[in-house]
Amino acid sequence: MDLKAQLKTAVETAAQQLGATVDAAIQETPAGKAGDYGTPAAFLIAKTIGGNPAQIAAQLAQTVQLPQGIKKVEAAGPFLNFFVDVGAFVRGVVEKPFEMPRLSGKVVIEHTSVNPNKELHVGHLRNVVLGDSMARIFRAAGQTVEVQNYIDDTGRQAAESIFAVNHYGLKWDGVQKYDHWLGEGYVRLNADPAKPELEPGIREIMHRLEAGELRAEVEKVVHAHLVTCFRLGARYDLLAWESDVVGSGFLGHGLNILEGSPFTSWPTEGKFAGAFVMDVSAFMPNLEESNVVLRRSDGTAMYVAKDVGYQFWKFGLFEGMKFKPFATDPDGRTVWTSAPDGQPDTEGRFGHADEVINVIDSRQDHPQKIVRASLGVAEQPEKEDRSIHLSYAFVTLEGQTISGRKGVTVSADAAMDEAQKRTLAVLAEINPELSQREDANEIARRIGLGAIRFAMLKAEPTRKIDFRWEQALALNGDTAPYIQYAAVRAASILRKGQEAGYAIDGTGADWDALPDADLTLAKQVAKLPEIVAQSVHVHSPHVVAQYALDLATSFNAWFNAKDKKGKPATNVLQSEEGLREARLALVARLRQAFEETLDLIGIEIPAAM
RNA sequence: GCACUCGUAGCUCAGGUGGAUAGAGCGUUGGCCUCCGAAGCCAAAGGCCACUGGUUCAAGUCCAGUCGAGUGCACCA
């Protein structure tokens, strides 16, 4: 149990003795206040048993049992503050592995789901990075994670691109990236004044797509998309094709389940006569129209019915899809795909989620709420509860709405190329020697991609992002390179320490020689597990990104600390023996915290900067 | 019109389940490399936390309303 949890128990036990049952919050004391951790629990106790909070805090200070590692407690007015034993605390942080949350169960995360008709643009980056980071974080918290990527292969967009290729007689040269080439046909078609007359041809392609005749064409785009996503660091377990969702009868299965619900009906009169409708008012209050049509009066299904069926399948409400390998990712793991000629999933390997997270932009808020409500309609309240829409605001480009058709767009591939190019240029300028090293490109890759990923997830998902080169590729300030630089610097200290023959594992450490400055840093390092727990709780990786910044800031401040005479106060290698070993061990732990934290958001640390 | 999201420093953003003087980055100004990496650090300036009311010992945080911005509201996909 970590120290804060022990403090919480100690305070609550002491409160019990005074006759009050409270939920004691343990927080860090504000900078400048006495103590390390504190609690305002006396307010709550005073409320239940009466009395003066300050007096109660004083009483608690007398009776509370101090856990190991806490050397002193004192009341500061109504607050109860604890003082940690610096040496014992830092030693604990250094020697104990992180106690990550231990969640169980399976979560299915759907992300990317880009129309297979043209290349990804910078707006898609946000989706991929959010989803991939969530997958990493949930995995670290102990859950089984399955990442799915939905392929809308029967939609209008895919049809238009394929039609354009045929119509204009376009030939792929085998050199240009396939998705970029295909996208050019799409753009050309949509700029063509004759497009309205071409409608019958497009419709024919749509029918052929639905029949699965053009699967091979679509697969080429999907492979090209995977190249982009792999480069970003994303990984997938399963590609779920819309044609397979439909072909596996998920629509019917889903509607069958819903038909047994008291919230669905086949009205015989009124505006919905002849249609199959679902009343979601019990799950989505305040709607002007609470009836959702699932099957039209002509018998055809509405689009949301597909989403509902797919969602039900993710939760394991029925089976039916077949699967086969599709590709191998850069780590050598197999990416599976749904396929009509695949094998049945007899082991319940895919789907069967306890929780489903759909990473989709906020324009889909309403349909996603309907999907969620449909689980309520199906009388599956716990699944409804764990049906999460990770909604994020769309990305604009230099203030304009991204539109491939209007040419207001930057591809994800170009953004990554540019990021690496700019990084390399900066490297040549500020560290010419390093830029001559043979791994200079790899260094630039890690920094450039890190910068992009970080820019996409440092803010809350509900924030709108306006993609601007200077901002997305900035190398100082609140950026990935700032954090990476700190991590590299930490590694550099460790290397120098080892070269000098010092132990970095705490051997020979004099923990009690550590001053408060080192305690501040150790406290920051110790926070990682609760950060992971919070990120899982709020379903957003921005919490982890912000923590990574805090960690780097704390380390830089500590590294540069000066004493009253303006001399370095925390120089590790020049510290006295014993203190030096303690600091080296702390820096080693910090470096590990950087690695684990950045890995949670898919950012790699370069060998040097 | 209805619903959802948002409104914190000039700009871009952090601020667990309410708790002690509201924090960063960019930009501005001024400092810090005979000392482990200056892509760094320190300091200054910059805030009626949109507004009004309410709940509470305590509100940036919760509730109601107002104003402003964005998005979505088809037997479309």
Side-chain angles (χ1 to χ4, degrees):
Chain A
M1 190 160 53
D2 72 4
L3 188 60
K4 282 167 95 173
Q6 291 181 48
L7 285 171
K8 181 177 162 71
T9 307
V11 171
E12 289 173 357
T13 304
Q16 283 288 355
Q17 287 163 5
L18 295 177
T21 303
V22 296
D23 178 18
I26 303 296
Q27 57 206 46
E28 285 175 52
T29 52
K33 289 284 174 187
D36 298 295
Y37 297 102
T39 178
F43 285 113
L44 301 174
I45 299 168
K47 178 150 281 184
T48 54
I49 66 170
N52 175 330
Q55 280 173 3
I56 288 171
Q59 266 180 286
L60 287 175
Q62 297 294 320
T63 59
V64 69
Q65 288 287 322
L66 299 184
Q68 205 172 5
I70 298 295
K71 67 174 181 202
K72 191 171 74 158
V73 59
E74 70 182 26
F79 292 94
L80 188 66
N81 290 341
F82 298 95
F83 297 70
V84 308
D85 181 87
V86 178
F89 183 89
V90 177
R91 182 177 184 174
V93 169
V94 167
E95 293 181 348
K96 275 186 283 178
F98 291 120
E99 294 180 54
M100 290 296 184
R102 284 174 212 263
L103 305 175
S104 58
K106 176 172 181 179
V107 54
V108 163
I109 300 177
E110 180 200 326
H111 69 79
T112 306
S113 305
V114 177
N115 271 314
N117 77 310
K118 62 199 301 293
E119 75 281 5
L120 277 76
H121 58 63
V122 287
H124 295 123
L125 290 173
R126 189 175 197 182
N127 186 303
V128 177
V129 172
L130 279 172
D132 179 59
S133 299
M134 278 278 80
R136 292 161 180 267
I137 291 163
F138 273 79
R139 215 169 268 136
Q143 293 208 287
T144 301
V145 174
E146 179 174 302
V147 176
Q148 298 189 5
N149 179 1
Y150 188 69
I151 312 296
D152 182 3
D153 61 326
T154 62
R156 178 165 196 95
Q157 315 237 28
E160 290 191 357
S161 287
I162 292 171
F163 174 83
V165 168
N166 297 341
H167 181 67
Y168 300 118
L170 305 176
K171 288 276 180 290
W172 182 45
D173 61 9
V175 176
Q176 189 181 12
K177 198 157 170 291
Y178 188 82
D179 48 352
H180 288 251
W181 168 77
L182 191 68
E184 286 175 2
Y186 176 79
V187 170
R188 179 167 166 189
L189 175 65
N190 281 284
D192 193 334
K195 192 189 169 197
E197 290 106 74
L198 304 174
E199 195 55 34
I202 296 170
R203 292 217 154 270
E204 192 212 324
I205 299 288
M206 286 177 79
H207 289 307
R208 291 179 62 195
L209 281 167
E210 280 167 28
E213 291 170 27
L214 301 169
R215 177 87 169 215
E217 300 304 307
V218 183
E219 287 190 351
K220 280 190 261 182
V221 196
V222 173
H223 278 293
H225 281 179
L226 286 181
V227 169
T228 303
C229 297
F230 287 161
R231 181 179 177 192
L232 245 190
R235 299 292 182 265
Y236 305 88
D237 296 293
L238 178 67
L239 310 178
W241 294 62
E242 181 160 292
S243 58
D244 295 327
V245 165
V246 175
S248 304
F250 286 6
L251 270 165
H253 294 324
L255 294 176
N256 281 345
I257 289 171
L258 291 171
E259 266 193 288
S261 162
F263 300 102
T264 57
S265 61
W266 294 90
T268 51
E269 53 191 38
K271 64 191 279 202
F272 298 118
F276 179 54
V277 304
M278 167 171 83
D279 179 6
V280 296
S281 56
F283 313 98
M284 297 171 65
N286 304 328
L287 288 180
E288 271 183 308
E289 174 55 72
S290 62
N291 288 299
V292 176
V293 174
L294 294 171
R295 200 185 274 285
R296 303 183 191 90
S297 48
D298 66 5
T300 57
M302 292 283 286
Y303 190 84
V304 276
K306 286 184 206 170
D307 281 347
V308 168
Y310 180 32
Q311 187 81 350
F312 281 13
W313 173 77
K314 286 173 177 167
F315 273 114
L317 293 185
F318 45 75
E319 312 288 331
M321 255 197 302
K322 294 175 183 168
F323 306 96
K324 67 177 186 182
F326 182 81
T328 303
D329 73 24
D331 302 327
R333 293 178 60 251
T334 301
V335 181
W336 290 72
T337 183
S338 64
D341 60 343
Q343 296 297 313
D345 181 21
T346 51
E347 291 152 33
R349 171 176 179 175
F350 297 113
H352 300 92
D354 298 297
E355 177 163 306
V356 171
I357 301 173
N358 294 327
V359 183
I360 309 177
D361 81 74
S362 64
R363 284 175 289 207
Q364 298 287 326
D365 282 352
H366 187 66
Q368 279 294 305
K369 276 188 180 148
I370 292 172
V371 167
R372 179 190 169 104
S374 70
L375 284 156
V377 169
E379 298 175 291
Q380 296 278 358
E382 63 294 327
K383 291 183 169 53
E384 180 195 4
D385 227 41
R386 301 194 65 183
S387 182
I388 308 292
H389 176 203
L390 201 174
S391 172
Y392 62 92
F394 60 89
V395 179
T396 53
L397 182 58
E398 307 277 352
Q400 291 182 282
T401 302
I402 295 174
S403 167
R405 290 192 260 191
K406 290 179 188 155
V408 184
T409 187
V410 172
S411 77
D413 295 312
M416 289 189 277
D417 289 343
E418 182 71 15
Q420 291 179 218
K421 210 178 92 189
R422 291 193 186 201
T423 305
L424 209 50
V426 170
L427 200 60
E429 192 183 321
I430 68 177
N431 198 338
E433 195 181 319
L434 188 56
S435 72
Q436 296 306 312
R437 274 170 50 158
E438 60 182 36
D439 61 346
N441 277 313
E442 172 62 12
I443 289 167
R445 186 188 71 82
R446 292 183 178 213
I447 297 170
L449 291 185
I452 287 191
R453 281 191 71 118
F454 197 81
M456 287 293 158
L457 50 72
K458 71 175 166 184
E460 265 184 301
T462 51
R463 291 280 175 195
K464 291 182 274 261
I465 290 183
D466 187 30
F467 186 92
R468 293 192 194 125
W469 289 110
E470 313 81 68
Q471 236 168 281
L473 308 184
L475 302 177
N476 42 35
D478 285 348
T479 65
Y482 172 80
I483 303 163
Q484 290 167 320
Y485 184 77
V488 166
R489 178 188 256 169
S492 172
I493 293 173
L494 294 172
R495 192 186 60 244
K496 290 226 159 89
Q498 283 177 307
E499 282 168 5
Y502 306 140
I504 64 166
D505 62 357
T507 304
D510 178 5
W511 303 105
D512 293 326
L514 290 164
D516 282 350
D518 300 62
L519 172 65
T520 305
L521 180 59
K523 280 198 283 188
Q524 194 66 255
V525 171
K527 273 170 83 171
L528 178 56
E530 54 184 293
I531 294 295
V532 171
Q534 195 195 343
S535 177
V536 164
H537 179 65
V538 302
H539 292 97
S540 171
H542 85 280
V543 180
V544 174
Q546 292 292 334
Y547 170 71
L549 281 174
D550 289 343
L551 198 58
T553 302
S554 296
F555 174 54
N556 282 331
W558 174 82
F559 178 85
N560 283 292
K562 304 276 196 296
D563 62 19
K564 292 173 205 81
K565 286 176 278 187
K567 296 288 177 194
T570 57
N571 190 307
V572 177
L573 301 179
Q574 295 185 13
S575 297
E576 287 178 37
E577 187 176 350
L579 174 58
R580 179 181 64 210
E581 278 69 22
R583 282 183 162 152
L584 280 166
L586 175 58
V587 172
R589 195 75 180 93
L590 169 88
R591 165 70 192 197
Q592 192 192 339
F594 272 126
E595 284 167 9
E596 292 193 29
T597 303
L598 289 176
D599 187 55
L600 291 173
I601 48 179
I603 293 173
E604 298 170 272
I605 303 171
M609 290 182 76

